[in-house]
């Protein structure tokens, strides 16, 4: 598959830091994943400390459990997911983008309830991770509902993956991290996608999404991949991306706050 007559998906990914993967799930497969997803949200599939609120720094309106529900490691909590089609298809996309040595690092669910209006803060995923010598990594963000501007489609800053990591700092309640950027930054690009379609972004690509201002839910399934040797090194160093300790901190020294902890 090509983006145009000149650029392959991998070339566009390397140039921009993100690229659409096209359709990864059929309509009937999307329905199956939604059913499992909603069992997680309802608590029928127990997620324990793997469940948290990425928007906890903003007051919740009545009746809303979380502004932005994040559930880490759904494939560990509900192992049948590993035998369903998305993991294999996302892995194939990851191998095409970062190399044949790509393996699954972790997966997660991110849900925006109707009318919550809480943006996911600007950040770079690598700020959460320990530093590794091979920086290759890709997240495959898969929409389970049509993702549009008003319900929180992804925004990326084109080319930001080629710049140094920005300083990250805690959100107001100290439970999440963020960095400085905006929709007005040069290269900022909204990427609406239909249910079943995916977008790939690198670990250092700046991204965020608006809050959900619609009456419908916005469900997304994200799968992250990195080289097998880096996965081994990561686990050897005791980091498993929230499997045993689901706390969101700045772990990459390149994204540490500057000037003694001051915000830039």
């Amino acid at each position: 598959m090509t983006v145009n007559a000149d650029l392959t998906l991998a070339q566009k990914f390397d140039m921009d830091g993100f690229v659409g993967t096209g359709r990864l799930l059929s309509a009937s497969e999307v329905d199956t994943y939604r059913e499992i997803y909603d069992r997680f949200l309802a608590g029928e599939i127990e997620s324990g400390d793997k469940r948290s609120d990425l928007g906890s720094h903003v007051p919740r309106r009545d009746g809303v459990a979380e502004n932005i529900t994040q559930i880490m490691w759904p494939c560990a909590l509900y192992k049948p997911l590993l035998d369903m089609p998305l993991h294999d298809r996302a892995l194939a996309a990851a191998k095409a983008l970062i190399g044949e040595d790509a393996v699954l690092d972790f997966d997660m669910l991110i849900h925006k309830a109707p009318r919550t209006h809480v943006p996911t803060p600007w950040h770079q995923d690598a700020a959460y991770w320990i530093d590794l010598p091979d920086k290759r990594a890709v997240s495959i963000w898969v929409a389970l509902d049509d993702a549009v501007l008003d319900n929180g489609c992804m925004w990326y800053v084109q080319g930001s993956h080629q710049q140094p990591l920005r300083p990250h700092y805690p959100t107001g309640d100290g439970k999440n991290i963020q960095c400085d950027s905006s929709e007005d930054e040069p290269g900022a690009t909204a990427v609406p996608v239909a249910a079943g379609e995916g977008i790939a972004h690198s670990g250092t690509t700046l991204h965020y999404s608006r809050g959900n201002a619609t009456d419908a839910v916005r469900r997304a399934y994200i799968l992250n991949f990195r080289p097998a040797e880096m996965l081994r090194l990561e686990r050897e160093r005791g980091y498993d991306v929230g499997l045993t300790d689901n706390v969101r901190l700045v772990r990459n020294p390149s994204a540490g706050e500057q000037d003694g902890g001051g915000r830039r």
Side-chain angles (χ1 to χ4, degrees), residues 6 11 17 19 29 32 38 44 54 74 88-90 93 116-117 138 144 153 155 158 161 209 225 252 257:
D6 300 313
Q11 289 169 333
V19 70
E29 289 168 339
T32 299
D38 290 346
E44 181 182 338
L54 288 174
D88 283 344
R89 292 173 191 169
T116 39
H117 297 278
V138 59
L144 296 183
C153 72
W155 284 72
Q158 186 178 32
H161 65 305
S209 60
F225 302 88
N252 193 318
E257 297 174 17

Side-chain angles (χ1 to χ4, degrees), residues 81-253:
L81 285 167
L82 289 169
D83 297 320
M84 294 171 62
L86 183 56
H87 279 73
D88 283 344
R89 292 173 191 169
L91 176 59
K95 287 182 175 182
L97 294 174
I98 67 169
E100 286 295 321
D101 56 347
V103 294
L104 179 71
D105 190 2
F106 64 94
D107 61 350
M108 63 179 166
L109 312 178
I110 297 184
H111 166 259
K112 294 195 173 191
R115 298 288 172 186
T116 39
H117 297 278
V118 180
T120 302
W122 283 98
H123 67 283
Q124 293 160 291
D125 293 338
Y128 287 101
W129 307 334
I130 62 172
D131 194 20
L132 294 168
D134 187 336
K135 311 301 183 187
R136 287 179 294 150
V138 59
S139 293
I140 312 291
W141 192 100
V142 183
L144 296 183
D145 302 286
D146 292 347
V148 297
L149 282 172
D150 288 343
N151 72 358
C153 72
M154 295 294 285
W155 284 72
Y156 301 102
V157 176
Q158 186 178 32
S160 56
H161 65 305
Q162 297 172 347
Q163 304 299 319
L165 282 180
R166 296 192 180 183
H168 284 64
Y169 52 91
T171 54
D173 63 353
K175 294 182 179 179
N176 302 290
I177 67 172
Q178 61 186 334
C179 69
D180 293 333
S181 187
S182 77
E183 293 180 9
D184 296 326
E185 180 162 335
T189 306
V191 187
V193 289
E197 295 180 345
I199 319 162
H201 66 267
S202 82
T204 50
T205 303
L206 275 165
H207 59 284
Y208 114 115
S209 60
R210 293 180 182 177
N212 187 354
T214 73
D215 292 323
V217 298
R218 194 228 67 181
R219 290 164 288 197
Y221 198 139
I222 300 94
L223 305 95
N224 183 270
F225 302 88
R226 67 172 68 249
E229 179 59 19
M230 293 302 99
L231 179 69
R232 184 197 64 76
L233 185 58
E234 186 180 55
R235 299 296 189 264
E236 185 180 87
R237 293 181 179 179
Y239 182 56
D240 58 17
V241 203
L243 185 59
T244 57
D245 185 16
N246 186 27
V247 178
R248 291 181 293 277
L249 302 169
V250 177
R251 291 183 172 89
N252 193 318

